[in-house]
Amino acid sequence: MDKNFYITTPIYYPSAKPHMGHAYSSIIADLFARFKRIQGYKVHFLTGTDEHGQKIQRAAEKRGLDPLSFCDEISKTFRDLSTTLNLSNNDFIRTTEKRHSKSVQNLWNILEKKKEIYLSKYSGWYSVSDEAFYSDDEVEEKEGNKIAKNSGSLVEWVEEESYFFKLSQWQDKLLKFYSENPNFILPNSRKNEVISFVKNGLKDLSVSRKSFSWGIKVPSNKDHVIYVWLDALTNYLSALNYPDENDKLFKNFWPATIHLIGKDILRFHAVYWPAFLLAAGIPLPKRVYGHGWILSGDTKMSKSKGNILDPIEIIDRYGLDSLRYYLAKEVSFGNDGNISQEKLESCINSDLANNYGNYCQRVVSFNEKNCNLTIPKKDSFSKVDIYLLDRFKNNFNKIIESIDNQDLNFYMNFIIESLFAANKYFNDQEPWNKKNDVKRLNTIMYVSLEIIRKISIMLYPVIPSSSLKALKIFGIQEKDIKFESIKKHNQLIINNKINKIDLLFKKIENKND
Ligand code: ME8
């Protein structure tokens, strides 16, 4: 079995500081990366910043900075955010790095050599905000402005000499690829949109710009810079040291297992990117997953709309793991999701403070009073014990499948149901009434501790530092976590000492109290 896993986030435009939407994609990618690591996979997890193009050039001009100094400053805020979000990324790529321009120019040369690129003239609409070309029927007039129908971004008329990629020739091959690889584009609803877009006919794509200079030069014609999307998409290869196809990173991790992106950039990843790769003779990634948008009210949270919830402020106030958990649970993965501070607070109280934190505290303090902070000697398990313990074993393959299919809702619901079941078990078994039946009391304690271990392992990809705090009860460190071990019920060593647990989540008091 292929035990390598390569996951990427979009590389973000450092045109303004990161916001909740960026944090969302990165946190979810981190969740999948961490899960695959504890499942025993070799994981490569990539994120970074997309620094060329007119959008960045204009943003830099507005600040009175040269584009590179501007990018240095803002790219750093994205890199810092990766640390703040506790991302386990193996690399952070900037498209202004040498390794990247080398890789892009190499890809360009291949496409040119294969006669996939020709020089002509572009006249049509361009949105600097989307860095995208639009045809007449994709543009409408609103309040005297021309805007792109799908994104609402302003478009401007562009007429200039441009190189074109022969995208029109790839229509049938792309359709064939989608039908032979039905899980290449997920979720399914989005796949259908892409397929109908391709079926409608593909026009050759302008892949260079002449009217500004902030980009990677076309190797054979320095008057042109390479279209920022051809540049940006190639980051997924440059980070593996492409064009050196014998490099270990490239050999281990290409083709990518999954490009995790927002639905706004699906066309670039599911149409243009595979067409470039097919044309260059490079294997295609296995999956492109376009998740939904984080909404603010009814509209997309975005820099240009100015309706952003600052992830840093939320983290300062509620803690990182609260945000990670909330985003993973609240937004039905694949769909758009509305988030709010009120709902975040109630989620912290109900799921994290009450359901998980309180359960861990209760079990450990009961152990302290009755078992002297020791793993007690268990007697044989009763039916209720086995029933609770076995839900992990019985659902083991389903849990893995849910992650492999990006069915995050199943994964999160499974955790929540397990927490309810654990709390119910502890309440129903009333170990405090079993002081005359030490064997049973000890067995209940053993089961309850085992459940903390299993649930904390499942929570590790979602809330890594809180899960590690809980696993410290048993002296389990990050490197020791094995997902496989949730199947077993005998992982706690009898008579071993356990550690007290630090407060996991503080309940949010109602402001009006
Ligand atoms: O598009 N909800 O960069 P970008 C959910 N540089 N996710 C959101 C979001 C929201 N409201 N807003 C942004 C670019 N995102 C290109 C990508 S990749 C080769 C080049 C996330 O800074 C989501 O993943 O505009 C979206 O696709 C991405 O940020 C766009 O980031």
Side-chain angles (χ1 to χ4, degrees):
M1 194 181 42
D2 184 6
K3 287 283 232 179
N4 294 332
F5 182 85
Y6 178 28
I7 183 163
T8 63
T9 71
I11 48 168
Y12 307 112
Y13 289 126
S15 50
K17 280 203 266 169
H19 64 76
M20 196 57 90
H22 300 128
Y24 178 66
S25 300
S26 293
I27 287 171
I28 303 299
D30 185 59
L31 189 163
F32 292 131
R34 285 180 185 271
F35 182 91
K36 296 310 279 186
R37 281 198 200 94
I38 64 170
Q39 205 199 330
Y41 278 62
K42 226 189 273 166
V43 171
H44 199 71
F45 169 24
L46 176 71
T47 186
T49 42
D50 180 1
E51 308 191 0
H52 291 131
Q54 211 167 6
K55 178 171 168 133
I56 301 293
Q57 182 168 318
R58 285 189 185 171
E61 276 161 9
K62 239 179 160 175
R63 282 272 312 278
L65 290 172
D66 71 277
L68 188 58
S69 315
F70 175 76
C71 289
D72 284 346
E73 182 188 313
I74 307 206
S75 176
K76 187 174 176 309
T77 65
F78 279 88
R79 199 187 281 263
D80 292 346
L81 183 72
S82 310
T83 311
T84 310
L85 297 178
N86 194 10
L87 301 188
S88 60
N89 55 303
N90 302 83
D91 197 355
F92 184 102
I93 192 162
R94 298 183 56 186
T95 54
T96 43
E97 291 173 57
K98 181 89 188 94
R99 59 170 169 163
H100 177 69
S101 52
K102 191 174 115 191
S103 163
V104 173
Q105 288 187 323
N106 189 80
L107 182 61
W108 179 280
N109 285 339
I110 294 177
L111 294 175
E112 206 176 56
K113 209 164 138 204
K114 292 194 169 204
K115 307 217 176 329
E116 296 289 345
I117 284 178
Y118 61 92
L119 190 61
S120 180
K121 189 177 164 203
Y122 179 77
S123 43
W125 299 105
Y126 191 77
S127 156
V128 175
S129 173
D130 302 344
E131 293 285 17
F133 301 95
Y134 289 110
S135 59
D136 265 335
D137 54 349
E138 289 175 309
V139 166
E140 63 185 354
E141 191 153 326
K142 208 171 180 185
E143 291 155 12
N145 291 318
K146 291 278 187 194
I147 57 164
K149 283 183 195 164
N150 67 351
S151 64
S153 307
L154 279 179
V155 295
E156 49 199 79
W157 186 257
V158 170
E159 274 189 29
E160 63 190 30
E161 185 185 74
S162 174
Y163 285 92
F164 281 79
F165 169 71
K166 292 181 183 166
L167 183 62
S168 55
Q169 297 193 345
W170 294 97
Q171 177 176 356
D172 292 342
K173 292 188 188 88
L174 283 172
L175 290 172
K176 183 164 173 271
F177 179 77
Y178 302 145
S179 93
E180 284 168 0
N181 298 277
N183 292 324
F184 173 65
I185 305 168
L186 284 182
N188 274 319
S189 52
R190 305 259 144 76
K191 172 168 71 182
N192 299 335
E193 286 167 23
V194 171
I195 292 179
S196 60
F197 171 76
V198 175
K199 276 191 176 152
N200 264 337
L202 295 174
K203 290 200 200 83
D204 289 353
L205 179 71
S206 166
V207 283
S208 76
R209 300 289 313 273
K210 212 181 164 183
S211 51
F212 64 93
S213 58
W214 181 237
I216 299 175
K217 301 266 182 279
V218 167
S220 55
N221 184 348
K222 303 281 190 263
D223 291 342
H224 287 250
V225 294
I226 297 175
Y227 174 41
V228 64
W229 271 101
L230 173 53
D231 165 344
L233 288 159
T234 309
N235 91 90
Y236 303 131
L237 291 172
S238 350
L240 303 181
N241 296 328
Y242 175 84
D244 183 357
E245 296 190 18
N246 289 318
D247 187 272
K248 237 171 105 186
L249 276 177
F250 187 85
K251 278 187 142 160
N252 279 341
F253 294 111
W254 193 261
T257 319
I258 176 165
H259 294 316
L260 187 70
I261 55 167
K263 63 179 182 181
D264 47 336
I265 54 176
L266 192 58
R267 188 184 294 183
F268 302 97
H269 283 79
V271 182
Y272 303 163
W273 183 224
F276 297 149
L277 292 170
L278 282 170
I282 300 170
L284 269 49
K286 292 181 199 141
R287 179 162 304 163
V288 173
Y289 191 103
H291 66 64
W293 284 339
I294 304 281
L295 302 177
S296 169
D298 288 336
T299 50
K300 181 185 174 216
M301 202 174 272
S302 80
K303 288 175 278 210
S304 44
K305 294 203 174 77
N307 56 355
I308 55 180
L309 212 59
D310 183 350
I312 308 285
E313 277 170 29
I314 296 287
I315 292 166
D316 282 347
R317 183 141 177 207
Y318 300 102
L320 168 66
D321 279 354
S322 300
L323 174 66
R324 289 180 60 117
Y325 180 91
Y326 176 64
L327 290 175
K329 176 198 163 182
E330 185 74 15
V331 182
S332 156
F333 195 61
N335 298 318
D336 293 347
N338 232 302
I339 60 169
S340 73
Q341 215 153 309
E342 291 71 38
K343 282 197 274 176
L344 167 65
E345 290 186 359
S346 85
C347 169
I348 295 172
N349 286 349
S350 64
D351 290 30
L352 296 174
N354 283 348
N355 234 356
Y356 180 51
N358 191 39
Y359 176 73
C360 296
Q361 292 289 351
R362 260 174 104 190
V363 172
V364 173
S365 25
F366 187 83
N367 181 299
E368 185 178 11
K369 289 193 196 102
N370 298 280
C371 310
N372 200 20
L373 287 175
T374 303
I375 309 275
K377 186 161 180 290
K378 63 178 191 295
D379 196 26
S380 53
F381 292 133
S382 72
K383 234 170 128 179
V384 268
D385 304 341
I386 294 283
Y387 184 74
L388 180 63
L389 291 165
D390 267 358
R391 49 181 289 120
F392 298 87
K393 189 169 94 186
N394 295 342
N395 287 285
F396 187 76
N397 291 334
K398 256 190 169 158
I399 295 169
I400 292 176
E401 263 168 43
S402 73
I403 292 290
D404 288 343
N405 298 329
Q406 292 75 50
D407 183 359
L408 196 52
N409 302 337
F410 177 91
Y411 190 82
M412 295 306 292
N413 282 335
F414 185 84
I415 293 176
I416 294 164
E417 281 162 16
S418 303
L419 279 168
F420 274 114
N423 276 299
K424 181 171 181 341
Y425 171 86
F426 203 68
N427 290 340
D428 290 356
Q429 294 306 306
E430 304 182 324
W432 48 90
N433 284 335
K434 301 284 182 323
K435 301 216 168 136
N436 297 328
D437 183 356
V438 178
K439 276 187 178 173
R440 184 62 198 147
L441 182 149
N442 284 345
T443 308
I444 298 169
M445 178 45 60
Y446 190 94
V447 171
S448 306
L449 288 169
E450 257 298 7
I451 296 298
I452 293 183
R453 188 187 66 81
K454 288 169 192 259
I455 293 184
S456 300
I457 288 179
M458 283 202 66
L459 276 170
Y460 166 77
V462 190
I463 48 172
S465 28
S466 308
S467 139
L468 285 169
K469 265 195 204 167
L471 289 169
K472 237 167 71 188
I473 299 174
F474 314 108
I476 299 176
Q477 295 174 15
E478 193 164 22
K479 64 176 176 28
D480 305 324
I481 302 176
K482 303 243 173 331
F483 180 68
E484 179 89 19
S485 75
I486 70 161
K487 270 204 267 194
K488 302 181 187 142
H489 313 328
N490 55 356
Q491 296 291 287
L492 304 179
I493 300 167
I494 288 163
N495 290 334
N496 263 13
K497 280 289 182 197
I498 63 167
N499 299 305
K500 284 206 223 175
I501 180 168
D502 302 332
L503 181 71
L504 288 180
F505 294 95
K506 224 167 99 200
K507 244 184 126 158
I508 315 286
E509 303 298 337
N510 191 321
K511 284 170 267 176
N512 305 323
D513 285 350

